[in-house]
Amino acid sequence: MPKSKKADRIDGVPPRRHFLRLSVFGGAAATVFPAMAAARELASRPATRSEVGTFELDEYTIADLQAAIASGKFTSRSLTEKYLARMEAIDRHGPAVNSVIELNPDALAIATVLDKERKEKGARGPLHGIPVLIKDNIDTADSMQTTAGSLALVGSRPARDSFVAQKLREAGAVILGKTNLSEWANIRSSHSTSGWSGRGGLTKNPYALDRNACGSSSGSGVAVAANLCAVAVGTETDGSVVCPASVNGIVGIKPTLGLISRSGIIPIAHSQDTAGPMARTVRDAAILLNALAGTDPLDTATAESKGKISGDYSRFLDPNGLRGTRIGVARKYFGFNDAVDDLINSVMEQIKRQGAVLVDPADLESHGKFDDSELTVLLYELKADLNAYLANRPDAAVHSLKELIDFNDGNKDKEMLYFAQDLFVKAEAKGPLTSKEYVDAIEANHRLSRAGGIDGIMDKLHLDAIMAPTGGPAWLTDLVNGDHAGGGSSNAAAVAGYPDITVPAGFVSGLPVGVSFFGRAWSEPVLLKIAYGFEQAINARKPPRFPATIS
């Protein structure tokens, strides 16, 4: 999930694998690794641009798709067929961005049933019949696997749907498949390469194929950017929704902790993990958020959301949403790239022209003071939470973090081609969640990021939101040294468990850069209003052209 600086490694392109429609291998999962040789060969091949033809559904919004279905131009089944063909052309062949790890073999049948239901009863809502993709750490009790990109879980299937999958099905969405990710949501190694997993290989950035897609929701970000689906679901612990959204030129929402249930999502840390929408527009992200939000007895954090969930987040989308707002500028998140600073400074002028008041600077007093405590918390919670999750996967090859470490050691030629598992080892060495080190660290996290951080500066300066560059443009993928990203602004909202929305702000050397708006707990309505007003004023998104490199 994450992608911050230190805890960044906590959430991260080689082998190109085939679409893995694997049969159940049961206990043989540790020895059956199809397409790995081909994957390694493709990963070492220089990126080359393939001619990408026009796609009939390019940049279609959910509303566009529903209108086309209502007019009789398309059906849910025909849309599903078109997106599947697009995946074959873009993801597997052509530019081979490698964003999808597994297709849903039941997708067409599901779409057909939803078409019949629409004719007989009408649509369930805006997602009825709409093709979506979800990250491969989100459980589905169907023909697909959930592996977090790891070979250790190949052949194992969850016993029940995650809350996210359940909500999507209830909304009438067609789950097309699972997206690739930074393996184990980028918590395995402090030297990882984002977008690479042992099972899925390397996901590539569609704006320059030799550049990184960020992570850990790499595949979800790329698939949405490349128009392989209408919308997708990612997950975040620190930056894993907003970073891939930013570098792939799309919208990403990291909601308040507890707005979306985490039950059935392979965890890193319960104090920060959440799923989040990824879309090409703020409106589509809001529609997806409507479907995903809800209380769940299997996730106690969702109890806090009672009375705080909006029935329709799209009602807050005001094209004049910037007018009269007070937005703080978190200047300490600037300064890592002159071109990014210039871009964000220029859009700030446009924000002011839209009637917003910018309070500059508006830095958190605790900026930089909770990096170490965040990592401590994540390591403790990783051990506890992953052990609990794996205990409920009885048919998997591993049932604990210790067994997972041993599995990786025994399969180094497949799992540790490019980086090892130092964070796993450090997490395994931690004690229980009653340890004083953990108790002190989680207290520091919450105090410094909330009252001493986001809430503190917002109270002091009477702010509606805080803004900063989401991060820098995509960096060159480096399988030898791992990630070398520039800056990022995700950590305060991530550690606090507060909402963060990134919106395309423009381009640097042809590469997308996003701006983040974050604020208090449960302030999604305010942030969506601001983000939509910004999007309508700036209109920065441009679809990718899949060049081999920016030069």
Side-chain angles (χ1 to χ4, degrees):
M1 302 174 189
K3 255 293 141 213
S4 65
K5 212 40 192 137
K6 291 185 180 178
D8 216 318
R9 294 333 251 170
I10 311 161
D11 189 335
V13 221
R16 154 75 185 156
R17 73 338 157 234
H18 302 305
F19 282 94
L20 299 177
R21 302 195 197 191
L22 305 177
S23 58
V24 178
F25 297 130
T31 58
V32 183
F33 307 119
M36 284 295 104
R40 284 190 287 273
E41 187 276 329
L42 196 146
S44 63
R45 195 185 304 167
T48 56
R49 183 190 190 282
S50 298
E51 288 302 318
V52 177
T54 58
F55 177 45
E56 189 175 5
L57 304 179
D58 261 346
E59 302 300 285
Y60 264 51
T61 65
I62 291 172
D64 293 335
L65 295 173
Q66 290 291 1
I69 294 173
S71 72
K73 182 177 181 180
F74 298 128
T75 62
S76 177
R77 183 183 176 96
S78 69
L79 290 177
T80 302
E81 290 171 339
K82 289 178 185 297
Y83 280 119
L84 290 172
R86 173 73 168 181
M87 288 184 207
E88 181 73 12
I90 301 298
D91 209 59
R92 186 173 179 181
H93 301 296
V97 293
N98 198 35
S99 64
V100 181
I101 202 168
E102 183 172 0
L103 293 175
N104 185 358
D106 303 318
L108 289 174
I110 292 169
T112 299
V113 170
L114 289 166
D115 282 331
K116 183 173 184 291
E117 180 183 318
R118 182 190 293 266
K119 286 183 179 179
E120 294 174 351
K121 302 178 181 179
R124 300 182 192 182
L127 282 181
H128 188 111
I130 300 300
V132 306
L133 285 164
I134 64 176
K135 191 174 175 180
D136 183 42
N137 61 348
I138 300 174
D139 286 351
T140 53
D142 53 16
S143 300
M144 294 184 290
Q145 300 173 88
T146 305
T147 69
S150 172
L151 299 173
L153 294 184
V154 167
S156 165
R157 286 183 174 82
R160 60 185 297 164
D161 269 347
S162 61
F163 183 85
V164 164
Q166 174 190 328
K167 294 285 282 183
L168 287 172
R169 296 191 206 281
E170 290 173 356
V174 179
I175 301 176
L176 288 173
K178 301 284 187 75
T179 56
N180 196 25
L181 70 161
S182 310
E183 186 177 308
W184 295 107
N186 218 3
I187 188 64
R188 201 184 89 187
S189 170
S190 57
H191 299 287
S192 66
T193 294
S194 289
W196 183 87
S197 70
R199 178 188 174 203
L202 173 64
T203 297
K204 300 175 183 177
N205 191 305
Y207 289 89
L209 299 176
D210 59 352
R211 298 258 161 184
N212 200 267
C214 199
S216 64
S217 304
S218 315
S220 294
V222 170
V224 170
N227 285 277
L228 305 187
C229 57
V231 291
V233 181
T235 64
E236 175 163 328
T237 305
D238 185 340
S240 286
V241 164
V242 296
C243 180
S246 176
V247 304
N248 289 290
I250 64 170
V251 175
I253 300 177
K254 198 287 289 187
T256 303
L257 192 76
L259 187 65
I260 300 173
S261 169
R262 289 85 52 85
S263 65
I265 296 178
I266 297 176
I268 287 181
H270 59 267
S271 65
Q272 293 184 205
D273 290 352
T274 182
M278 304 180 77
R280 288 181 291 274
T281 68
V282 174
R283 183 173 296 279
D284 281 359
I287 290 171
L288 184 52
L289 185 63
N290 288 339
L292 299 178
T295 59
D296 177 10
L298 296 179
D299 184 353
T300 56
T302 64
E304 292 295 318
S305 68
K306 288 182 179 179
K308 299 168 184 171
I309 297 176
S310 169
D312 179 12
Y313 284 101
S314 64
R315 67 190 177 93
F316 300 106
L317 306 184
D318 179 357
N320 298 312
L322 289 170
R323 186 173 299 160
T325 59
R326 284 178 61 85
I327 302 172
V329 180
R331 279 288 167 188
K332 288 185 179 178
Y333 286 121
F334 289 63
F336 57 86
N337 182 300
D338 289 345
V340 171
D341 286 358
D342 289 344
L343 173 64
I344 303 302
N345 286 332
S346 70
V347 300
M348 284 168 53
E349 292 303 314
Q350 297 180 66
I351 289 173
K352 287 190 283 188
R353 286 198 290 272
Q354 296 300 313
V357 175
L358 293 183
V359 182
D360 187 4
D363 291 310
L364 280 62
E365 293 181 6
S366 58
H367 184 96
K369 294 180 180 178
F370 46 84
D371 289 348
D372 291 338
S373 59
E374 178 187 17
L375 181 54
T376 296
V377 166
L378 297 185
L379 293 177
Y380 270 96
E381 293 186 1
L382 170 66
K383 181 179 180 179
D385 296 354
L386 190 57
N387 282 345
Y389 174 87
L390 292 174
N392 290 314
R393 295 283 293 265
D395 62 339
V398 298
H399 305 96
S400 67
L401 177 58
K402 176 62 169 64
E403 290 184 10
L404 176 55
I405 291 169
D406 292 343
F407 176 93
N408 289 336
D409 283 335
N411 293 277
K412 289 182 178 179
D413 60 329
K414 305 173 185 72
E415 276 289 359
M416 296 198 284
L417 292 167
Y418 306 105
F419 52 88
Q421 54 181 345
D422 60 292
L423 291 178
F424 274 4
V425 172
K426 289 177 181 178
E428 177 59 26
K430 296 297 184 183
L433 298 185
T434 54
S435 301
K436 185 177 187 302
E437 182 184 37
Y438 170 77
V439 172
D440 289 346
I442 191 70
E443 186 279 329
N445 274 359
H446 290 163
R447 172 172 44 83
L448 293 170
S449 64
R450 296 174 181 176
I454 293 173
D455 292 323
I457 194 65
M458 292 186 72
D459 287 344
K460 180 179 179 180
L461 300 178
H462 310 290
L463 303 176
D464 297 300
I466 302 169
M467 67 170 288
T470 308
W475 58 95
L476 285 167
T477 293
D478 184 347
L479 293 170
V480 176
N481 298 303
D483 287 342
H484 46 89
S489 60
S490 64
N491 65 333
V495 173
Y498 289 1
D500 186 359
I501 302 179
T502 183
V503 186
F507 292 80
V508 170
S509 298
L511 299 170
V513 171
V515 63
S516 283
F517 300 98
F518 56 96
R520 306 176 189 277
W522 316 110
S523 65
E524 282 83 357
V526 174
L527 297 182
L528 281 165
K529 178 183 176 182
I530 290 170
Y532 186 74
F534 176 84
E535 176 191 59
Q536 298 306 297
I538 304 300
N539 191 26
R541 171 164 166 84
K542 296 177 182 177
R545 294 291 178 259
F546 309 96
T549 182
I550 61 171
S551 60

